[in-house]
Amino acid sequence: FQFNFGFREPYKVLVDGDFIHAVLTTGNGDVEGSLSKLLMGNVRAFTTRYTLHELQEKGKEHRATLQAARRLERHKTIHKVDSAAECIKSEIGTRNESHFFVATQDKDMQRYLEKVSAVPIIFKGVNGVSLLKPGSALKKHVAKASVAKMGVQAYERSTKVMRDFEEARNPGSTAMAAAAAGPLSQQQQPRRPRKARGPNPLSMKKKAKPSAGGSSGGSRPREGDAAAKPKRKRPRRTKSSTAPAPESGQ
């Protein structure tokens, strides 16, 4: 119910007099505590003035039930009906826009609410407070919503791959479907994939051409260069030149 119908905490529960009486007579604690334990969240239990009026008419046997019902929040209704059951039905309507849970022991009301797709029903059983098994209307609604979410979208059907697939499976169906669907809007049209672009030629660095002598260094002069100078050779000193000369007269 949270994912498909948008139910949020605190959960709102409409209770009738029979449900309150069943919870109190079996010793399951207070009504809001039992509902909060079942739904595992915060709960706001509501009753109506029609429910209080019916409990007053039942006499002393339902005095404790009446006191417990008065401690709950009273939901203000604008419908003029004859019974508490009709008041709950009118409040739920056909779509349950207020997102109410309904806690009731009335079998006729349970069968009626099963036909409404978005109404979770709570009842008091032998093993405690429980949720009624989802009805056929609820199952159909959930299945339809799941197919809508997981199915093929309109813009996907317009692609060439899907058109070829539909044409191969059902010849002639693609043209009929396209004519029935009409032109797609600008938002539904499929986006064209971007083509890969090459690098910017201005940002590419050109390769350096090799020199004529085949050497990569630029410090060595080339042959025939007029500005090139010969290397200077340093003279070597010998031992005879470094020894002292002999004195004369000896």
Side-chain angles (χ1 to χ4, degrees):
F1 291 98
Q2 289 181 345
F3 296 106
N4 293 288
F5 300 104
F7 281 70
R8 296 290 183 270
E9 291 189 49
Y11 302 115
K12 298 183 295 182
V13 185
L14 276 176
V15 298
D16 64 355
D18 294 337
F19 179 81
I20 300 173
H21 185 72
V23 172
L24 295 179
T25 53
T26 53
N28 287 77
D30 60 332
V31 176
E32 284 191 347
S34 301
L35 294 173
S36 179
K37 184 178 179 181
L38 172 66
L39 301 178
M40 295 183 292
N42 297 327
V43 171
R44 295 177 62 188
F46 293 89
T47 186
T48 62
R49 58 190 178 93
Y50 294 97
T51 300
L52 298 176
H53 182 69
E54 288 183 357
L55 291 175
Q56 286 178 349
E57 293 180 348
K58 291 184 178 181
K60 298 180 180 180
E61 296 180 356
H62 290 74
R63 182 175 298 176
T65 305
L66 177 60
Q67 294 177 356
R70 285 174 176 173
R71 289 194 292 268
L72 302 178
E73 297 184 53
R74 187 180 302 181
H75 182 66
K76 295 182 180 180
T77 58
I78 59 175
H79 308 285
K80 294 182 179 181
V81 292
D82 299 331
S83 63
E86 293 296 329
C87 178
I88 294 176
K89 292 178 182 179
S90 301
E91 191 63 32
I92 295 299
T94 58
R95 300 178 59 184
N96 191 16
E97 296 179 356
S98 299
H99 300 97
F100 274 114
F101 287 76
V102 177
T104 179
Q105 298 294 108
D106 191 350
K107 299 295 182 182
D108 294 336
M109 185 184 295
Q110 291 177 4
R111 285 191 290 268
Y112 172 82
L113 295 177
E114 282 182 349
K115 300 177 182 179
V116 183
S117 60
V119 182
I121 304 171
I122 302 173
F123 70 100
K124 173 64 179 68
V126 178
N127 298 326
V129 180
S130 305
L131 274 169
L132 193 66
K133 188 177 180 180
S136 58
L138 178 59
K139 292 180 180 179
K140 290 180 181 178
H141 181 86
V142 173
K144 186 177 180 180
S146 300
V147 170
K149 291 180 181 179
M150 301 299 293
V152 181
Q153 302 299 325
Y155 71 91
E156 294 177 337
R157 293 192 185 97
S158 62
T159 59
K160 186 178 184 303
V161 176
M162 290 301 299
R163 290 199 303 268
D164 295 342
F165 176 76
E166 291 292 338
E167 185 67 25
R169 189 175 63 175
N170 299 320
S173 61
T174 306
M176 296 175 61
L184 295 175
S185 62
Q186 186 176 1
Q187 296 180 353
Q188 294 179 345
Q189 291 180 358
R191 296 181 179 179
R192 295 181 180 180
R194 295 183 177 180
K195 296 182 180 180
R197 297 180 179 179
N200 188 359
L202 299 177
S203 63
M204 297 178 64
K205 186 177 180 181
K206 298 181 179 180
K207 296 182 179 180
K209 296 182 179 180
S211 59
S215 59
S216 58
S219 61
R220 185 176 180 180
R222 293 176 296 181
E223 296 181 359
D225 193 352
K229 296 181 180 180
K231 289 185 178 181
R232 181 180 180 184
K233 294 183 179 181
R234 186 175 182 180
R236 295 184 180 181
R237 293 184 180 182
T238 59
K239 292 182 179 181
S240 59
S241 61
T242 58
E247 295 180 2
S248 61
Q250 291 184 356

